[in-house]
Amino acid sequence: MSTALRTVPAVPVARETADVREWVRRAGAMSPVLAVIALLLVPGGGGAQGGTGGTGTVADAASGLLVVICLVRVLRGGARPLTRAAAVVLGLPVLGICLAAITSNDPAASLPGVARYVQVFVLVPAAVLLTIRDRRDFAVVAWGLVAFALLQGSVGVVQYLTGTGASYQGEDVRAVGTFGATDVMGMATVVAYGLVVVTGIALGSGPGRTRTAALVCAGVLFVPLVLSFSRGAWIATVLACGIQLLLSGVRRAARVALAAGALGVVLVGGLGIGSAMVKERVASITQVAAAPDQSVTDRYTMWAAAGRMWRAEPVTGVGLKGFPAYRDSNASLALSSGSDTAGAGAAFARQPLLSPHNMYLLVLSEQGLVGLLALAGSWLALLVGALRRRRLGADCALVATGLLAWQLIDFFYADIGGPSTVLMSVVLGLAAWWALAEVGRARPVGG
C-alpha cells in the first residue's frame, strides 16, 4: 500500500482542535456570566415571591460579582464603556425607579425595591453587554442558556415520569426542575429561553451541523415546556418563535409551522405525553369569562387592583414594593388568600399573592406612568435596535429579537420574582449587546 493512501489529512483535525481551544478560551473569558447561569442550580431560600420580594440567591451574588468585575475592567481600560445611545437606553429605567422611591409613602420600605430593579434592569444587563466582545462571545452565552435549559428540562421530565414534580390537579407531575414548587415558572422560563435560542440558530445562516444540533435541542426542549403546564410560557414561546419564523421568511415559516404542529400531535396525541392534562390546560386559556379557574380569577382580580392603585397615584404610583400593602384595600372579595404549593420535595403551603402577575401593571401601580414609560421605553428601544440590525447577521438578530419578544409577551402574564429573575437580566444583557453595541460583520452564532 502506498504512503499516499495511508496518509491522513491533518489540516481539518488541526482546525477542529483550534476551534475547540478557542471555545474553551472564550468560555473562560465569559465565566463571570456563565457562573450566574450555572449557580441557579443552587437552591435559594426565598421562594418565588412576586414583585421585588424574595431573598437573594447565590446566583444573585454572582451577578453582583459580575458587575464588580466589569467595573474593574472598565476602570482599568480607561475608555468610554458605553455608547451614548446605550447609556441612555439602559439608564432610562433609573428615572422612574428613583422617582417612585422618593415619592413613596414609605421610602425606607422602597429601598430594597430600588436595589432589585437597578440590579435586574440596569446593572447586570450593562455588565453582560460590556463583557461580550463579539459574536463568538454571544454564541458562548447563548449556548450556555441552551445547556442550562436542557439540564433543567431533563430534571423536569424525570419529575413528570416519576411523579416527583410539583402538585398539579392533585398529582405531583408538574415539571419544575430544580426550582421547586414555590417557583413553578422557573423551569418553564429557562426552557423557553433555550427553545427560543435554538430556534433562532436553526433559522439562521450557521453551519449545517450546528443548525441540525439546534433542531434536535428544540425537539428535546419542547417536551419539558409542555410538561411545565405553564400557560403564559406556552403563549409567549409560540408567539416569539412565530415572530422568528416570519423574520426568516414566510415560506419557511409555513413549513416549520406544519412540522412543529406534526411534532406536537405525535408527542401529545400519539405518545400521550400529558395529553389529558395538557388539553385541559390549553382549554383553560380561553375560559376567562365563562368558567375560569381560581388562578385566573385571582389574576384578573389583582390586575383590577393594580389599575385602581394607578388611578389613585397616576404619575408616580404607590411606591416600590407597595403593591402588597395596598392590595387588600383595592381588591374585590373574589381574591383568594393565596395559591397552593406542594410537591417536588416540599410540603403543602399557601403562598401569598404579592404581585399582579403582570409586569406592566406592577410597574404602573408602583411606579406610575413615568416608571412604565421609562422601563417599557427601554425595552422597546432594545427591540427596535435588534430588528434594525437584522442585515448584519441573521443568527444574532433572530436570537436577540426572539428573546426580547418572549420576555415582553411573558410580562403580560408574569413579573419579576423568584431565582430565575437574575437569568432574565442576563438575557436582557445578551439582547442589549446585539441591539446597542458596535457590531461588525463576523461569523454567525453557530460558527
Side-chain angles (χ1 to χ4, degrees), residues 5-403:
L5 292 176
R6 293 197 306 266
T7 302
V8 178
V11 175
V13 176
R15 185 178 301 163
E16 290 183 4
T17 303
D19 287 343
V20 171
R21 289 177 180 174
E22 175 68 9
W23 271 86
V24 172
R25 185 184 68 80
R26 287 180 177 273
M30 298 303 298
S31 58
V33 179
L34 298 177
V36 177
I37 300 173
L39 289 175
L40 281 168
L41 291 170
V42 180
Q49 298 184 38
T52 51
T55 59
T57 63
V58 176
D60 285 311
S63 73
L65 182 60
L66 167 64
V67 173
V68 172
I69 292 173
C70 184
L71 179 61
V72 171
R73 289 178 179 176
V74 168
L75 293 177
R76 291 179 62 183
R80 187 174 66 178
L82 295 173
T83 63
R84 184 175 300 175
V88 171
V89 171
L90 292 178
L92 187 60
V94 177
L95 173 64
I97 294 168
C98 293
L99 184 60
I102 294 172
T103 58
S104 171
N105 293 329
D106 190 353
S110 295
L111 286 179
V114 173
R116 186 60 163 168
Y117 271 96
V118 171
Q119 173 207 4
V120 172
F121 295 114
V122 181
L123 293 181
V124 176
V128 173
L129 183 154
L130 293 172
T131 304
I132 297 174
R133 296 162 299 179
D134 53 32
R135 301 189 194 198
R136 284 197 167 185
D137 285 351
F138 183 100
V140 169
V141 178
W143 280 107
L145 289 172
V146 174
F148 186 59
L150 289 170
L151 178 59
Q152 289 289 346
S154 299
V155 175
V157 172
V158 171
Q159 290 172 332
Y160 174 80
L161 295 175
T162 59
T164 56
S167 178
Y168 178 74
Q169 293 186 348
E171 301 181 49
D172 293 342
V173 295
R174 188 169 191 175
V176 292
T178 63
F179 292 96
T182 57
D183 187 13
V184 294
M185 281 293 297
M187 189 214 72
T189 299
V190 170
V191 170
Y193 284 155
L195 188 54
V196 170
V197 169
V198 293
T199 300
I201 295 174
L203 295 173
S205 56
R209 60 182 180 180
T210 302
R211 293 164 61 190
T212 300
L215 283 174
V216 172
C217 291
V220 172
L221 291 173
F222 174 81
V223 177
L225 180 63
V226 171
L227 298 180
S228 70
F229 299 109
S230 173
R231 292 170 293 199
W234 290 350
I235 294 171
T237 304
V238 169
L239 294 179
C241 291
I243 291 172
Q244 289 176 308
L245 284 170
L246 290 175
L247 290 175
S248 68
V250 177
R251 291 184 179 179
R252 174 185 280 184
R255 292 196 300 268
V256 175
L258 290 174
L263 177 63
V265 170
V266 171
L267 291 176
V268 178
L271 300 181
I273 298 179
S275 57
M277 292 182 177
V278 170
K279 291 177 182 177
E280 183 276 335
R281 195 66 166 170
V282 171
S284 69
I285 294 176
T286 60
Q287 294 174 351
V288 296
D293 57 32
Q294 186 58 48
S295 65
V296 173
T297 299
D298 286 339
R299 180 163 302 189
Y300 280 90
T301 301
M302 290 188 293
W303 287 7
R308 294 188 185 96
M309 294 179 201
W310 170 68
R311 286 192 291 272
E313 299 287 345
V315 179
T316 58
V318 298
L320 293 174
K321 297 194 71 174
F323 184 88
Y326 290 87
R327 182 198 63 184
D328 292 341
S329 60
N330 288 277
S332 68
L333 296 177
L335 182 66
S336 66
S337 60
S339 59
D340 298 339
T341 61
F348 174 84
R350 292 286 289 175
Q351 189 172 345
L353 303 173
L354 301 178
S355 73
H357 295 292
N358 181 306
M359 189 65 199
Y360 303 106
L361 290 177
L362 176 65
V363 174
L364 191 64
S365 63
E366 293 188 344
Q367 300 181 42
L369 194 58
V370 173
L372 181 61
L373 290 177
L375 262 173
S378 176
W379 301 333
L380 184 60
L382 291 179
L383 183 59
V384 171
L387 287 170
R388 290 182 63 182
R389 293 186 169 187
R390 283 173 54 198
R391 293 184 179 180
L392 295 179
D395 303 72
C396 292
L398 290 173
V399 171
T401 302
L403 289 172

